[in-house]
Amino acid sequence: MYSTNKVLVTGTKSGLGKYIYENTDKSVSLTRDNRKDILNDKYDLIIHCAFHSDRSNDIGDYYDYVDSNILLTNELVNLEHKRFVYISSLAVYDNGYSSYKHSKLCSEAIVNKKANNPLILRVPAMLGVDIRPNTIYRILKEDKPKLTLNEESTFNYVLHSDVKNFALLNRFNGVVDFVSNGNITLKKVNEILNGNAVFGDYKFVTPEIKDGVNWKSSEQVINEFKELIWKRKYWYVERQDSLVETY
């Protein structure tokens, strides 16, 4: 595992990138402020988590969107490095067109073509103490959150810690579906978290991925996440500076 070599991590303001950066020895954080300086160095491992997460097709600033999603990836693979890990998404399996999906596929293609020793992790919903506001966040923080999602909506969940550990292994290359063993309904998630959600009508369905590499089930991940946040109760205090995952 990479633990003593120089590791560059992007997307460190929140979410997975923040977790990896804070829990990996000799790691370096890429931000908007230090981008020019950081991109002049060389690294043993690059873990690229940063991405413009807006999934709508109504893009306000096209340059910023392309720069965050594609141009930065191209700059990173041109750095001197020994290994490159790119965090992609199960959204690439969605039917139809979306800017988010195709930006991910473009970045995957860049990494596959130009990076050294590349690993692309297609991940589902991720959980950790630094998650951005989402359905689970609302179930935990609000008394009776009114959701747009139907109780039969399905999700697949993995923990930040599990993604980080896998990314540092240096045993796999190519494209890997890092998903848990089986999906879980939102109704079951609400029950495990002792929530009191008011469900809506829209049914979201996460594709069932066979042969995922995470041996845990989504239900086990939810239970581990529940235990994690109870151990760190300060998580319930809203921290505005950690709610948006950008590089």
Side-chain angles (χ1 to χ4, degrees):
M1 294 180 69
Y2 286 90
S3 60
T4 59
N5 297 317
K6 191 182 241 184
V7 179
L8 174 63
V9 185
T10 70
T12 58
K13 290 292 183 67
S14 67
L16 177 66
K18 184 175 188 291
Y19 178 83
I20 293 176
Y21 172 62
E22 293 180 347
N23 292 276
T24 303
D25 294 340
K26 293 190 177 179
S27 60
V28 178
S29 168
L30 173 66
T31 68
R32 290 185 183 273
D33 295 331
N34 68 6
R35 179 170 173 175
K36 290 183 179 180
D37 296 329
I38 294 298
L39 294 180
N40 287 323
D41 209 339
K42 58 183 179 181
Y43 304 92
D44 289 312
L45 170 64
I46 298 173
I47 304 179
H48 185 20
C49 306
F51 210 81
H52 197 299
S53 59
D54 186 358
R55 297 197 177 207
S56 72
N57 291 322
D58 186 16
I59 301 171
D61 187 331
Y62 279 90
Y63 179 80
D64 182 67
Y65 191 85
V66 173
D67 183 50
S68 299
N69 292 347
I70 299 174
L71 299 183
L72 175 61
T73 302
N74 193 59
E75 287 186 72
L76 290 170
V77 297
N78 285 323
L79 295 178
E80 187 174 341
H81 65 278
K82 296 179 181 178
R83 180 163 172 77
F84 196 105
V85 177
Y86 176 64
I87 306 301
S88 189
S89 168
L90 292 187
V92 300
Y93 296 118
D94 291 348
N95 295 322
Y97 173 84
S98 75
S99 299
Y100 181 79
K101 166 187 172 179
H102 284 79
S103 293
K104 282 292 188 184
L105 288 171
C106 286
S107 284
E108 286 190 6
I110 291 170
V111 172
N112 263 328
K113 183 75 173 179
K114 301 176 70 174
N116 296 324
N117 199 16
L119 171 64
I120 294 170
L121 294 181
R122 291 176 173 172
V123 299
M126 295 183 286
L127 299 177
V129 295
D130 293 298
I131 61 172
R132 294 173 295 153
N134 57 19
T135 299
I136 284 189
Y137 183 92
R138 294 189 61 201
I139 290 174
L140 288 167
K141 286 184 65 72
E142 299 177 22
D143 182 30
K144 290 184 179 181
K146 293 183 179 181
L147 308 178
T148 59
L149 294 173
N150 183 282
E151 64 181 12
E152 295 303 318
S153 295
T154 60
F155 292 87
N156 193 288
Y157 293 100
V158 294
L159 293 173
H160 286 161
S161 56
D162 291 331
V163 179
K164 175 242 180 188
N165 290 339
F166 189 84
L168 295 178
L169 279 177
N170 196 23
R171 294 180 186 171
F172 299 87
N173 289 91
V175 178
V176 173
D177 292 322
F178 191 82
V179 297
S180 290
N181 184 18
N183 295 344
I184 187 172
T185 65
L186 192 56
K187 179 181 179 180
K188 185 62 177 180
V189 172
N190 187 62
E191 291 175 359
I192 294 173
L193 298 179
N194 301 317
N196 196 22
V198 178
F199 296 102
D201 298 322
Y202 179 72
K203 184 177 180 180
F204 177 84
V205 178
T206 298
E208 288 278 359
I209 304 297
K210 303 297 183 181
D211 301 321
V213 298
N214 189 25
W215 60 270
K216 297 178 181 177
S217 68
S218 289
E219 184 170 340
Q220 181 179 349
V221 169
I222 294 293
N223 277 295
E224 288 186 20
F225 176 66
K226 179 182 178 181
E227 182 179 354
L228 174 66
I229 60 174
W230 274 110
K231 288 180 178 178
R232 302 179 66 172
K233 293 183 180 180
Y234 71 84
W235 183 86
Y236 286 95
V237 178
E238 187 142 352
R239 294 171 291 165
Q240 293 293 340
D241 61 340
S242 67
L243 297 186
V244 180
E245 186 171 5
T246 56
Y247 74 89

